[in-house]
Every structure is written in C-alpha cells, then in structure tokens.
C-alpha cells in the first residue's frame, strides 16, 4: 500500500498524534499549571535589601599563634588613618579590619601623592572571613570546589584619582591589599574604604532575659549575625560560598528566623522558589540560584533535603497561619513522600543501599558516617511532620496511608536498629554507633523517652562513636537532647560546641567545625570553607524557643 501523505485522513491522524504526544509529555510534570504562579509569588515576595555603609575600624597584623583558631590571629596595630595618609608603596600587604563580618560591595579611592601618574597600578585585594584566609597561600590550589570562590581580586588602575568598586559581591571582615606593580616615577595613596553592606534584615529581635549566661548571650549574638548575613534575597547557605538557596539550610534558617527576625516574607519566597524550580517529575532540586534568572542546579537530588521541604512548610504554616501558601505548596510536600514509599521495603526498612546509589544521601559532612539509621529516622519524621501539615490544611484524606507507613517503619527501626543490651541505636552492617543515628531515632519517636535518655547519656562514653562533623548535624543532636528532656545536657552541649567557636573568635558561625580538627574541610582546602554559614545559626532558635533552658 502506498501512503498518500496528503490524504486529509492521514493529516488528521498525525495532528491528533502530535497533540496526544505533546500533552502526554506535559502530563508528566505534575506542577505544570502552577509553576508560573509559584515563581511569580516568589518574585513578589522578594525582599528589598537594606544597605548600610561601613568603614574599617583599624589596621591589623596577622600573626602566627598556635593557640589561635587555625593558627592565625589578627593583632591591632594602627588606625586606618596611617594607611590613608601615607604612600601605599611602603605598605604593601597591609590588612584592614572592618570589625565585623560584612556582605556586600567594597569601594576605595586611589590618588596620586607626588608626581604624575605615568603608568597603571596593579593591586591585589584578598578578602577574608577569618585570619587564616589571608595568611595561607591559595596556590597551587588543591581544593575540590572552584578556586574562584576564594576572594582574591586583582585590580589594575589606569588613571587616577579614581573611586573603584570591586564588581563582585564579597563576604569578609578583613581585607589585605598588596602592590603588584607601579611606576617608579610617581607616588600614590589609598583611602576612603567603604563597604556597602547588604541584608534583608530590617528588624531588631527582642532582647534575651537578663538572667541569660554571658556565654549564651554571646552565642546568640554571633548566631544572629550569621543569620542576618545569610538573609539576602533568599536564605543563602553562605554569603561567601555557595551563595544560594539549599533546602536543608532554608529549613534551619527559617526556624531561627521565626524566633528572631520574623521575616516571613523571605521564607515564603524561598518555599515558592524551590517549588517553581523543582524537576518536572515533581521531585525538588536540592539548591537553586536567583540570577540571571531563577534556576535550579540541574540534577542535584538530595534525599534528605526533599523530605525536609514538607517539614519546613509545616513549620512555616504553623508559625504564620498562612494557609494559602500551605495549600498552594501542599502538592509539592505531598509528592516528596513518594520517595519514601519507593524505598520502603516490605519489612518496613528503608533500602538505604539502593537510595545511596540513586541519590545524594547527605546528613552530615562526616567521612565514614553510616546513614542507615539517619535515613530511616528522617523518613519517619518526614511522614509524621507532613501528616501534621496535612492536618493544618485539612488534607488528611489525601495521605491516609502515611500514618500506617510511619508506624511500620518505626516498628522495623526498633526491631532492627535498637540494641537493648547497650541501650543504643546502631546503623549499617557494622552496627556503627553515631550521634546522628541516636538523634534521628529519637526525633522520629522510635525511642521512648526513657530509651532516648539512656542512649544519649551513654553516647559520650562510647569510644568509637561517630561525632557530628558539622553544625548542621549538631543541630539535630541538640534537638534530640531537648526532645528527650535532657535540658541540662542540651545547654551544656550548645555551650561547648558553639561556645567553642565563640571562644576561638568567631564573628559568625562556621560551615564545618570539629573542635579537634580546625583545618577540617569537606573540600580538601580549609580556606574555601564558609565561615558564615546558615546552618550554623540555630542556637538562635534553641535559645529563644526554650528560654527556660537557655536563658537562665
Ligand atoms: C554545602 C553547602 C550547603 C549544604 C550542602 C549540602 O556545600 O554549603 O550548606 O546544604 O553542602
């Protein structure tokens, strides 16, 4: 048979097939009808940044000191006037201190002092959040993230006088300036350094009770500074790096925000943005960027963060009573539960081996951490929290299987991961004992209160217990202590860990902190760590939510 391609019947059939195919492809994206609206709402809720001009407070000298954090400390030397009033040729390597962590744009003036500027001047600026960033050579670079995150910028000045703004947004407290090249036939000086600092915080949080111990008040102050710096037009993870919105960071920042700056608009924006930029199978992408236009880091699927989205949404709705946002975004929270359904075995255990092969299962920056118990615990927690969200929104009937699923996972966890002899939860084939496993088994309610207390009290005595690697995991450990009623222990742990950073001079809290290894880096080069990191701000949440524990 010869096909007549122009036959009207054939044309009609082809047209029909194209329509079916095209709509079939679209039907795969469960959020297609809502995406534009979500992204528009994200845009409508974009906060206006508050700008503040800051001047440096002094000049400092960086000194090696084995007792100082990472072996370097900044010692006050002169007033900034010394730099401004003297030839820069005699001052290469000078370090300027702004006295606090700032995020924004740096401007300086440069002017001839003597003679005519007959050639360009080349300067190198290095911006550091902590002293070691200005002291340790960056090259040859061995880090596993882009070398360009490090904040060193070369500026060539071709004419003067000039006021120069470094185009890149920076995050720092200290600025080092070195002279790379200048003409011998004239002299010049640098002055008027200004940092245009930005943040979306425009509100002073309530004062703590006067009974608050000094160390806790200091931890709160540093936590607030950390959060303020990360609150830009999204909840950034770190204003130096990665400067974007991650779901796990958003969750903890929004908790701290609720009890301090109370910028609900920013939380709302971030929840809509993540929803609007989710993958077209309905799964959330772990992190998103705002510009040049909102987009996600394609393909970055992080198991734990997908589940925490619904938890964050529940906390937001519970705190604000903004049911509209809750209802808009409910389909996204609900959809993430399919991930749990997919990996939940008949025996009630999550298939963590399979999940680990198919996903980025994170939980902490800690080599060797076995994540089976964490994954099981978070899955139960997410089921329960998402059910609580459904109740707030009157949507229980859409998720009527999840309570029984949670129960099944819980029973299986107790059966397979609890060791009644030691009173601790174990994880993986090697029955590893870790802070993370105990925390998630407690937060999920697998442990009874009594069992939780026994496990948490026993933990410090276990020689090989795997400790948290980053403040992110430490948050869940403190939450578990509070959940178990171990108030004094929670207070001590918070004071030891975050207080440890304060005592080592932190202006803002760090991405990674191991009290026994200050040079630890998940990226093989500690200067590229972020030293003002969102997930580290949560003492603010604990201190303010539980005044009876922390403010007396
Ligand atoms: C780090 C980021 C961020 C975190 C991810 C998992 O690279 O800084 O804070 O959410 O890891």
């Amino acid at each position: 048979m010869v096909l007549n391609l122009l036959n009207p019947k054939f044309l009609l059939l082809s047209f029909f097939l194209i329509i079916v195919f095209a709509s079939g492809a679209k039907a795969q994206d469960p959020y297609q009808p809502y995406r534009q609206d979500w992204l528009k709402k994200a845009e409508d809720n974009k906060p206006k940044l508050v700008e503040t001009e800051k001047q440096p407070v002094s000049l400092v000298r960086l000194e090696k000191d084995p007792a100082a954090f990472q072996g370097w400390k900044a010692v006050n030397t002169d007033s900034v006037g010394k730099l401004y009033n003297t030839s820069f040729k005699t001052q290469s390597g000078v370090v300027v201190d702004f006295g606090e962590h700032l995020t924004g744009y740096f401007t300086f003036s440069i002017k001839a002092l003597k003679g005519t500027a007959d050639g360009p001047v080349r300067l190198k600026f290095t911006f550091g959040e902590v002293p070691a960033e200005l002291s340790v050579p960056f090259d040859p670079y061995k880090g596993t993230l882009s070398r360009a995150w490090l904040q060193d910028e070369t500026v060539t000045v071709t004419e003067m006088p000039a006021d120069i703004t470094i185009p890149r947004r920076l995050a720092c407290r200290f600025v080092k300036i070195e002279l790379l090249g200048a003409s011998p036939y004239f002299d010049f000086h640098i002055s008027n350094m200004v940092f245009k600092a930005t943040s979306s915080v425009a509100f002073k949080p309530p004062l703590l009770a006067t009974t608050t111990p000094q160390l806790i008040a200091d931890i709160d102050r540093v936590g607030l500074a950390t959060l303020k710096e990360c609150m830009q037009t999204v909840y950034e993870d770190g204003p130096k790096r990665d400067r974007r919105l991650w779901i796990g960071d958003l969750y903890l920042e929004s908790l701290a925000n609720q009890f301090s700056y109370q910028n609900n608009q920013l939380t709302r924006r971030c929840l809509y943005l993540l929803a609007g930029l989710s993958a077209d199978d309905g799964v959330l992408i772990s992190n998103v960027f705002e510009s040049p236009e909102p987009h996600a880091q394609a393909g970055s699927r992080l198991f734990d963060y997908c589940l925490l989205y619904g938890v964050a949404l529940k906390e937001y709705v519970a705190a604000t009573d903004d049911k509209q946002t809750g209802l808009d975004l409910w389909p996204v929270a609900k959809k993430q539960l399919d991930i749990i359904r997919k990996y939940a075995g008949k025996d009630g255990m999550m298939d963590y081996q399979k999940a680990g092969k198919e996903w980025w299962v994170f939980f902490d920056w800690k080599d060797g951490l076995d994540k089976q118990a964490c994954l099981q615990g978070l899955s139960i927690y997410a089921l329960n929290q998402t059910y609580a969200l459904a109740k707030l929104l009157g949507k229980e009937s859409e998720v009527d299987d999840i309570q029984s699923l949670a129960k099944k996972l819980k029973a299986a966890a107790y059966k397979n991961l609890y060791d009644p002899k030691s009173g601790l939860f174990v994880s993986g084939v090697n029955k590893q004992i870790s802070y993370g496993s105990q925390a998630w088994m407690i937060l999920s309610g697998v442990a009874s209160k009594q069992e939780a207390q026994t496990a948490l009290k026993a933990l410090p005595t276990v020689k090989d217990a795997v400790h948290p690697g980053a403040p992110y995991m430490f948050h869940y450990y403190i939450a578990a202590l509070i959940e178990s009623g171990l108030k004094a222990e929670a207070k001590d742990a918070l004071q030891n860990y975050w207080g440890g950073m304060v005592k080592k001079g932190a202006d803002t809290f760090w991405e990674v902190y191991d009290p026994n290894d200050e040079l630890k880096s998940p990226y093989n080069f500690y200067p590229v760590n972020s030293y003002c990191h969102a997930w580290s701000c949560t003492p603010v949440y604990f201190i303010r939510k539980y005044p009876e524990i922390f403010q007396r």
Side-chain angles (χ1 to χ4, degrees), residues 237 241-242 246 248-249 302 305 360 362 365 511 523 533 535:
D237 58 336
R241 207 218 80 239
D242 314 323
W246 289 80
D249 300 78
L302 198 158
Y305 282 12
W360 178 8
F362 173 60
W365 284 127
E511 174 184 19
Y523 320 110
H533 210 71
W535 66 24

Side-chain angles (χ1 to χ4, degrees), residues 340-352:
I340 305 178
R341 292 190 185 96
K342 180 171 169 201
Y343 293 91
K346 286 213 170 63
D347 61 352
M349 288 303 288
M350 295 291 289
D351 190 342
Y352 78 106

Side-chain angles (χ1 to χ4, degrees), residues 13 72 101 118 125 195 226 253 293 339 344 346 368 392 405 420 430 439 547:
L13 180 70
W72 290 93
H101 189 283
D118 69 329
F125 292 82
F195 208 97
T226 310
E253 287 174 282
E293 73 241 355
I339 304 169
K346 286 213 170 63
L392 287 173
L405 182 57
N430 294 326

